[in-house]
Amino acid sequence: GHQFSLDCWHNYCAHAIQNGPACILTTCPESTCSEALTEEEIKICAPELLQKFQTYQLRNYVEVNPKTRWCPGRGCEQVACAQG
């Protein structure tokens, strides 16, 4: 990856995640790089934000995958997956 200080990475990740679900589309801060921000980068530079990032990833997966749905049970946050 491209080299930036840990503080720069932390601020970059924090800003992206504060912007909401679109953070999963965030790419490397190097302007010419299109590599997506990963859980590994978040885990290293902003571990306190990892759970929120993972939540956004899961929400996106469920929303774009036609074979997944959120469980309809009241208060349940599990994902139901269709077989086949």
Side-chain angles (χ1 to χ4, degrees):
H2 293 102
Q3 299 296 316
F4 295 94
S5 72
L6 191 55
D7 283 342
C8 287
W9 268 109
H10 180 275
N11 292 339
Y12 185 75
C13 293
H15 179 73
I17 293 170
Q18 286 173 345
N19 285 332
C23 70
I24 65 166
L25 303 175
T26 301
T27 58
C28 174
E30 171 62 45
S31 63
T32 60
C33 182
S34 60
E35 185 175 327
L37 190 61
T38 68
E39 288 184 28
E40 281 303 309
E41 280 110 8
I42 302 292
K43 190 185 299 184
I44 292 167
C45 63
E48 74 280 6
L49 300 172
L50 181 60
Q51 185 173 4
K52 186 176 269 193
F53 184 76
Q54 290 171 328
T55 298
Y56 289 143
Q57 286 180 312
L58 179 60
R59 281 177 45 187
N60 180 70
Y61 178 79
V62 172
E63 289 170 10
V64 301
N65 188 330
K67 293 189 177 203
T68 60
R69 299 280 187 273
W70 292 105
C71 174
R74 187 175 189 173
C76 183
E77 295 183 11
Q78 297 298 313
V79 177
C81 299
Q83 292 186 2

